[in-house]
Amino acid sequence: MVLASPAVRSPSRWLPLPVVLVAVFVTTLDFFIANVAIPSIRTDLAAGPAATQLVFGGYGLAYAAGLIISGRLGDLYGARRVFMVGLALFTLASAAAGTAPGILALIVARVVQGSAAALLAPQVLTLIGALYPGADRARAFGWYGTATGVAGVSGQVVGGLLMAADLGGLGWRTVFLINLPIGIAALLAARTVLPELPGSASGLGLAGGGRGLDVAGALMVAGGLAAIVLPLVQGPELGWPLWTWVLLALSAPLLTAFVARQRTRPEPLLDLRVFREPGFAPGLVAVALLFGGSAGLSFVLAVYLQDGLGLGPLAAGMVFTALNAGFFLASLRRGRPLPGALAIVAGLMLVREAVGAGEPYLIAAALGVVGAGMGLLMSPLISTVLAGVRRERAGAAAGVLGTAQETGGVLGGTLTGAVFLAAADQGWTAAAQSALVLLVVVFAAVVAVMVFSNKR
């Protein structure tokens, strides 16, 4: 399908949006859905805590490390083409994860999944930015934020339902295999409704021009992110061996060298001018904290509800329905993000008290408050971050926003999980309460960032 003008205002202009939002939904869902399966994966594949952390962290690390170069690939080869390749690869990797014979094969499949998700994400935002001008663009970005938020809060519920259904006796494998019919259907729809964007290799993404990839720059940013995340994922379980400290020490010079290289190249992987767009930089910090806190909450409660309270995957998922309900109801009201962040802080304090009581229904009620806060916060925050970005820098914004989301999610989930597991010898209740204190601090930081940015 080739459109002579993507900006033509007709009802059919909205047909591409559900297709790209399906990709956003499943790639975000896959970051969270694995949490509910971790206890079963650990038992079935005889995996230790460090290995199961990589099932979670390997996906997010590959996702974050590949986003910036994926935006440039969209510039060179067209957003539609790279989107289709990413969606096909994600579907195949999901099949590999669902049929993995051992923990190593599962980790490898998850890394490939994350790499494929990285191919998709910048193309989605580039397509939205190109296809929907003016008021339509803000509306489309609002739906993007809603899809991201719904996926983020639905992981536990969807995972619990799939594992309880135990289709074909597959157990935890269904949380990955469910992507096959979704991915195939989205691929068929994409072939029909996604337009080729004329000139997408010369101005709709990171830098345009098409002189080739900056391979050295890509290796610098991927290596710098890996040097931060990998030690933090593996270090606590392995007792912080020397290599973890060496990698952490290397992360700063690698990322500094990447930024310096981008300043001097005529066509950089990352157009650094995007950070000067109104509200983008503080919004980016808030998004990273939001996804980090969400990932941490998902991991802690998935383990606590099952291992601590003895609930099955379905019952644990049902507790999370309150989070979903709060999110859906609050997301119907479009408002300013700050009240949402404050509601999350209050809700997490209530969750901590409910954990102390050990009553699932009290935890569910408190999660309803957290979900309402997320519903008020997530969509307007992401929409605000993106809406002010110029069209020619949409690819840069896409890459940076996605990197912030995934890096924040991996680090938040890993660090919160480390606090949680380190305190597990005091009992699951004390461990969960310790982790929830950290999450309160994280979301209080979101509030501080918003207050500070509003005063500028």
Side-chain angles (χ1 to χ4, degrees), residues 347-359 362-363 366 433 436:
L348 287 171
M349 291 178 178
L350 293 174
V351 172
R352 186 177 185 278
E353 294 303 311
V355 165
E359 294 290 348
L362 291 177
I363 297 173
Q433 289 184 314
L436 285 162

Side-chain angles (χ1 to χ4, degrees), residues 242-319:
L242 179 61
W243 67 265
T244 60
W245 297 108
V246 171
L247 284 182
L248 285 171
L250 286 174
S251 63
L254 280 171
L255 293 175
T256 300
F258 170 74
V259 171
R261 184 178 178 84
Q262 300 314 292
R263 293 183 185 279
T264 59
R265 288 186 63 82
E267 294 188 13
L269 278 174
L270 175 60
D271 185 349
L272 297 174
R273 292 174 297 176
V274 72
F275 291 98
R276 299 185 210 143
E277 299 285 3
F280 185 76
L284 206 64
V285 174
V287 166
L289 291 169
L290 168 62
F291 274 76
S294 299
L297 179 65
S298 176
F299 178 84
V300 167
L301 289 186
V303 177
Y304 171 73
L305 290 172
Q306 293 181 69
D307 291 348
L309 295 185
L311 302 183
L314 178 59
M318 289 301 98
V319 172

